[in-house]
Amino acid sequence: MKVLHIVKTAVGAGWVYHQVRVLRSLGVEVVVALPSATEGLAPLYRETGATVIAVDVDFPARQPWRLPAKLAACRKLVESVRPDLIHTHHVGTTIVVRLALGKRSPIPRIFQVPGPLHLEHDFFARLDMQLAGPQDYWIATCQWTRQKYEQLGVPPGHVFLSYAGTDVGAFAAERTGLLREELGVPCGAPLVGMVAYMYAPKWFLGQERGLKGHEDFIAALRLVREARPDVRGVIVGGPWGDAGWYEERLRYLGTRTCNGYLAFLGPRRDVPALYPDLDVTVVPSHSENVGGAVEPLLSGVAVVSTTVGGLPDLVQEKRTGWLAPPRQPEALATAILEVLSDRDEAKRRTTEGQALARKLFDAETTGREVAAIYEQILGEPLLRATKQKPMARKRMRVLHALGSFDPGGVETWLLNVLKYIDREQFQLDFCTFGSRAGLNAKEVERLGGKILRCPKGGNLWAFRNRFRQILREGNYDVVHSHVHLFSGALLRWAKAEGVLVRIAHSHNTHDGRPNTSARGLYRRAMRSWINRYATHGLAASKPAARELFGADWQLDSRFRVLHYGIDLKPFCEPMSREKIRAELGIPLDAAVVGHVGRFDPQKNHRFLLEIASEILKRRNDVHFLLVGDGPLRAEIEAKARVEGIADKMHFVGSRTDVPRLMCGGMDAFVFPSLWEGLPITLIEAQAAGLQSVLSDTITIEVQVVTELMTPLSLSKRCDEWAEKTLDALSGKAARIGLSVEPVARSDFHIKRSVSALSNLYSRLQE
């Protein structure tokens, strides 16, 4: 069974991702059409095993002259995919699909209705019906929507009910204190919040206020404060699309109305961690499905909502929450005060609401409901087939090729991959080409990996023969090369030895060699071989992908970005700052600027030393902790002595405890690299809560906790870098727990990275 999912956005509609994940686990072949094949959720869709195609077929409401091109793109998409069923998730994409294919298309089409808004307006409700044909079906995501379609005359068996599922395990009810600390709100003070995007009023729908009711929340909070002056408020969420002007209007209204006791946090990635700090979440929507009430109840927070749309499906008066009519701030304020005045009743309703939310919105349940709907429409027994015992798979043998296992970004990631991957399913071996195996080689072997030595030396012929011998003896299913351009030669030899899956992995944006004629010939030859002999290509970032696979890499389905993941456990372990400082010979009260990187030209240590000299002219109490080794280390140490700053410079060599040194030994981080693929040390610095000054040559993809990142041009003088670094030292560092949370929810969590790699390997085995 092949299903084409058409989604109007790559950065939202998370419920579609969860649905696709479950459908893939049930054996459904899924193709997802998104506006971008690389941004937002696109990499996560790929991790599920779905095929992702970049095509935008949303209705061009503001540029209607583009409609013919959209219709042509939609027809071309359907012709190329040849799906058994088309599943749309938004009004605009549904209209385009129906117009493009016509009423008499033989392909069944499901419109999973994300919310009731278009059905609340006669013109759009009638348009929905007029464009539908005999093969059109609807999945309502709340009771109101299902009843509306029945009233519109949708035939029996063509409208279903299934809520928009989520990962219910991602929400914890334990209060972290992170939000209250950020806002300066004491533990005992009531904190009332609203979490929602800011949708600007739509003139063509006759709206004067935003869809989510932000103005009503602000007015209700003012009324609550008249009765309870100790109450504080917070709004989390930013503008949707180009609604920046509307956000400014709301901020002005909040400042004028609430006089300092309402905070606007803007968009946040750590919302699940913030929810438990709230005493009440308010959902004052004018039109809504159910979504705004799901996350707070899963987080154990009392909910006050309006009675619109599907909200009463979950928020039920006297049972799971409090309800108020829409557009009535006075009623909202009364309900909020009831919650705050009777904490026992609030806890009772919230507990029951949490249980109901887990039951209705578990993605595993809703995904199977959708699969059952597919069965009913197509008559294929999908779920019964998946209950058969799966065939046992052989253990996949993967050979990774790299320089050595000394501590470094790539090496640290590979070590963590080995630690967290299912070693019953995958055998990972590592072929190292350096003069020695590296500091982490013993740890690799302890974890079950095998180190195979193949020193490159000066005899390329002998090296080639040794490498091919390793391939023959290992009988590998996959060769995964991490040696940049030289991957071309390795994958060519792997093909000659009959290895079916050959992966080139790009970790950098430059090979670090001078631009000579001979080097140019070498680069062209290796890139040509990579293009010819690589069955797949991975890259640490988009710039790294362009470097190895060419400017049009996104057009080649073999190539994709796979972000590194880091192990966050070391950042959460207890450590003694006093002990670490004493071990390093750094005064406990000293301000410490850190850097982690190999001593070679790429890392720009010479410029780093100039920055250090300028900083010490301004503050002589600053120390510098430099972690790493390499060919330039002796030169940099000697230069520090000549400059008279050696007593402030602490060179500690390669270390396997970088998280410990960051958390206990550093107060800020500086990273002036000339070029980078995607430096894992900057992800670690963010997890450690360090304010960081970095060169703006580094891809923006690395910025997870943006408030900790200060990009700066390398064209700026060292004194300007020094000033920014001093600002970082004097700035407020993030609490480690606060900074770990957004990293944990990003692509850079090791478990998510390993899951993506495992899924890739598994698909290649099929």
Side-chain angles (χ1 to χ4, degrees):
M1 180 190 296
K2 181 189 287 188
V3 181
L4 172 60
H5 283 254
I6 300 179
V7 191
K8 79 170 186 179
T9 174
V11 298
W15 74 87
V16 184
Y17 159 69
H18 290 298
Q19 186 178 104
V20 168
R21 174 176 57 80
V22 176
L23 291 172
R24 285 292 302 135
S25 72
L26 296 173
V28 179
E29 183 180 355
V30 178
V31 178
V32 184
L34 299 166
S36 169
T38 58
E39 298 176 349
L41 295 172
L44 294 182
Y45 281 115
R46 283 200 186 89
E47 289 178 18
T48 69
T51 300
V52 176
I53 298 176
V55 59
D56 183 358
V57 292
D58 192 21
F59 188 83
R62 297 185 179 181
Q63 299 173 311
W65 58 89
R66 295 182 58 204
L67 181 58
K70 295 270 190 174
L71 299 180
C74 182
R75 284 190 287 267
K76 183 178 179 181
L77 170 68
V78 174
E79 288 169 5
S80 65
V81 174
R82 295 185 178 277
D84 299 303
L85 188 149
I86 299 171
H87 190 150
T88 59
H89 297 268
H90 299 90
V91 175
T93 54
T94 301
I95 291 174
V96 170
V97 168
R98 291 178 182 172
L99 288 173
L101 303 182
K103 289 185 177 184
R104 299 187 180 279
S105 172
I107 305 173
R109 303 179 298 213
I110 294 177
F111 173 25
Q112 185 159 4
V113 189
L117 180 62
H118 81 286
L119 296 173
E120 296 169 351
H121 301 269
D122 285 343
F123 173 80
F124 293 101
R126 293 183 182 279
L127 181 64
D128 189 345
M129 294 296 99
Q130 287 295 322
L131 295 178
Q135 287 286 66
D136 279 296
Y137 299 83
W138 292 260
I139 298 178
T141 49
C142 68
Q143 294 282 3
W144 187 96
T145 298
R146 182 173 69 173
Q147 292 165 6
K148 181 64 175 180
Y149 277 113
E150 291 171 348
Q151 293 169 9
L152 290 169
V154 173
H158 278 245
V159 61
F160 306 90
L161 175 66
S162 180
Y163 293 98
T166 188
D167 180 4
V168 297
F171 299 89
E174 292 79 18
R175 179 165 286 187
T176 64
L178 300 177
L179 177 59
R180 288 174 175 269
E181 180 180 340
E182 182 176 344
L183 299 177
V185 177
C187 291
L191 183 57
V192 179
M194 176 181 176
V195 181
Y197 281 112
M198 298 170 179
Y199 292 90
K202 296 180 179 179
W203 60 267
F204 58 88
L205 295 180
Q207 296 174 349
E208 296 180 356
R209 292 187 169 194
L211 183 73
K212 296 295 182 178
H214 285 85
E215 295 91 342
D216 297 337
F217 174 76
I218 293 170
L221 184 62
R222 179 183 62 81
L223 295 173
V224 169
R225 283 274 301 187
E226 291 176 359
R228 291 284 302 268
D230 58 333
V231 171
R232 295 280 297 276
V234 60
I235 293 178
V236 182
W240 180 262
D242 56 357
W245 66 270
Y246 178 57
E247 179 187 23
E248 292 180 8
R249 191 173 90 178
L250 290 176
R251 286 179 178 268
Y252 173 75
L253 178 64
T255 301
R256 188 187 67 185
T257 304
C258 297
N259 194 29
Y261 53 81
L262 172 62
F264 288 80
L265 292 190
R268 296 289 289 254
R269 298 185 182 186
D270 56 344
V271 170
L274 304 182
Y275 266 126
D277 273 3
L278 299 176
D279 294 291
V280 188
T281 296
V282 182
V283 186
S285 298
H286 298 171
S287 178
E288 186 68 83
N289 192 35
V290 192
V294 177
E295 292 187 354
L297 280 175
L298 288 174
S299 303
V301 179
V303 171
V304 172
S305 85
T306 54
T307 56
V308 301
L311 286 170
D313 289 17
L314 179 60
V315 184
Q316 300 169 10
E317 187 64 50
K318 300 188 183 303
R319 183 185 169 201
T320 62
W322 283 258
L323 291 170
R327 300 178 179 84
Q328 294 189 21
E330 299 83 359
L332 286 174
T334 299
I336 294 168
L337 289 169
E338 285 184 14
V339 176
L340 297 178
S341 64
D342 192 343
R343 296 300 181 96
D344 290 338
E345 177 63 12
K347 183 176 181 180
R348 183 192 68 78
R349 294 193 196 186
T350 302
T351 300
E352 191 166 349
Q354 185 180 53
L356 183 60
R358 287 172 176 168
K359 177 182 177 182
L360 296 181
F361 296 93
D362 184 354
E364 297 296 326
T365 300
T366 59
R368 286 180 173 271
E369 289 171 352
V370 171
I373 293 170
Y374 292 171
E375 276 191 331
Q376 185 171 336
I377 293 172
L378 296 177
E380 295 185 21
L382 171 67
L383 295 182
R384 290 187 289 279
T386 59
K387 293 177 182 177
Q388 297 176 3
K389 185 176 180 179
M391 294 178 62
R393 285 185 176 181
K394 70 167 187 171
R395 194 182 192 196
M396 178 177 277
R397 296 181 60 79
V398 182
L399 180 69
H400 288 267
L402 66 157
S404 75
F405 250 110
D406 278 327
V410 178
E411 296 78 10
T412 299
W413 176 65
L414 286 174
L415 185 65
N416 285 326
V417 167
L418 179 61
K419 186 183 300 183
Y420 284 97
I421 204 165
D422 182 355
R423 296 195 290 272
E424 294 295 319
Q425 186 177 355
F426 303 101
Q427 169 63 43
L428 302 189
D429 294 346
F430 302 88
C431 182
T432 60
F433 305 147
S435 58
R436 59 196 187 96
L439 287 177
N440 283 323
K442 290 185 177 179
E443 179 66 8
V444 169
E445 292 174 339
R446 186 188 71 80
L447 291 170
K450 185 185 296 184
I451 299 287
L452 301 165
R453 298 286 295 116
C454 185
K456 194 173 179 183
N459 189 331
L460 185 60
W461 189 257
F463 169 79
R464 166 191 174 277
N465 291 339
R466 168 62 179 151
F467 183 71
R468 292 186 64 167
Q469 179 187 359
I470 289 171
L471 295 180
R472 285 192 297 272
E473 294 176 352
N475 191 27
Y476 291 102
D477 301 294
V478 179
V479 168
H480 191 151
S481 177
H482 304 271
V483 289
H484 205 59
L485 289 165
F486 195 59
S487 293
L490 298 185
L491 300 186
R492 183 182 183 185
W493 299 334
K495 174 126 181 358
E497 293 298 335
V499 179
L500 296 179
V501 179
R502 304 173 298 276
I503 301 173
H505 202 143
S506 179
H507 299 281
N508 224 320
T509 57
H510 197 277
D511 63 2
R513 302 296 181 87
N515 294 321
T516 63
S517 297
R519 193 66 186 177
L521 289 172
Y522 171 79
R523 288 168 180 159
R524 286 194 293 274
M526 289 298 109
R527 289 191 178 105
S528 174
W529 284 358
I530 288 171
N531 187 56
R532 181 174 179 181
Y533 296 111
T535 60
H536 297 80
L538 300 175
S541 64
K542 293 177 184 177
R546 285 194 295 271
E547 159 67 14
L548 210 57
F549 309 135
D552 296 329
W553 66 274
Q554 290 172 293
L555 302 179
D556 193 324
S557 61
R558 292 178 299 165
F559 305 138
R560 58 164 291 189
V561 170
L562 175 67
H563 287 146
Y564 301 134
I566 65 171
D567 187 357
L568 293 172
K569 287 183 180 178
F571 294 93
C572 302
E573 293 175 352
M575 55 84 191
S576 168
R577 185 178 178 88
E578 292 82 359
K579 183 178 179 180
I580 293 171
R581 292 292 181 98
E583 171 192 313
L584 298 171
I586 299 175
L588 182 60
D589 59 350
V592 179
V593 176
H595 180 273
V596 179
R598 178 174 167 79
F599 280 75
D600 62 20
Q602 173 188 357
K603 301 299 181 181
N604 211 7
H605 283 87
R606 297 186 183 97
F607 186 55
L608 177 58
L609 214 59
E610 295 177 22
I611 297 170
S613 295
E614 288 295 328
I615 288 173
L616 289 169
K617 290 177 184 177
R618 294 161 171 77
R619 279 186 61 178
N620 62 10
D621 64 325
V622 178
H623 286 244
F624 299 85
L625 177 58
L626 277 62
V627 182
D629 216 331
L632 294 183
R633 179 177 171 181
E635 174 194 322
I636 299 300
E637 288 188 7
K639 189 173 182 180
R641 289 192 292 270
V642 170
E643 295 287 334
I645 60 174
D647 61 322
K648 302 290 187 178
M649 310 297 295
H650 303 266
F651 299 87
V652 297
S654 295
R655 298 284 292 245
T656 59
D657 60 344
V658 169
R660 174 174 172 268
L661 296 181
M662 285 183 167
C663 294
M666 302 179 187
D667 299 301
F669 198 75
V670 64
F671 205 74
S673 291
L674 297 174
W675 67 85
E676 290 283 352
L678 192 146
I680 200 169
T681 52
L682 279 177
I683 305 299
E684 293 174 321
Q686 291 172 88
L690 296 175
Q691 292 278 350
S692 300
V693 182
L694 58 145
S695 56
D696 64 2
T697 59
I698 298 170
T699 174
I700 195 173
E701 294 166 76
V702 80
Q703 298 185 32
V704 180
V705 190
T706 54
E707 57 267 30
L708 294 178
M709 299 277 101
T710 303
L712 195 61
S713 172
L714 289 172
S715 65
K716 300 292 185 182
R717 299 190 311 271
C718 58
D719 58 338
E720 294 181 67
W721 274 77
E723 289 295 339
K724 290 295 184 183
T725 306
L726 287 170
D727 289 344
L729 280 174
S730 60
K732 183 180 179 182
R735 265 186 50 182
I736 294 173
L738 180 62
S739 54
V740 164
E741 180 65 30
V743 176
R745 298 194 178 279
S746 74
D747 290 347
F748 299 104
H749 192 306
I750 186 59
K751 291 184 179 179
R752 189 166 287 114
S753 181
V754 168
S755 174
L757 189 61
S758 299
N759 287 336
L760 173 65
Y761 286 160
S762 297
R763 292 201 304 275
L764 300 181
Q765 191 179 32
E766 293 173 351

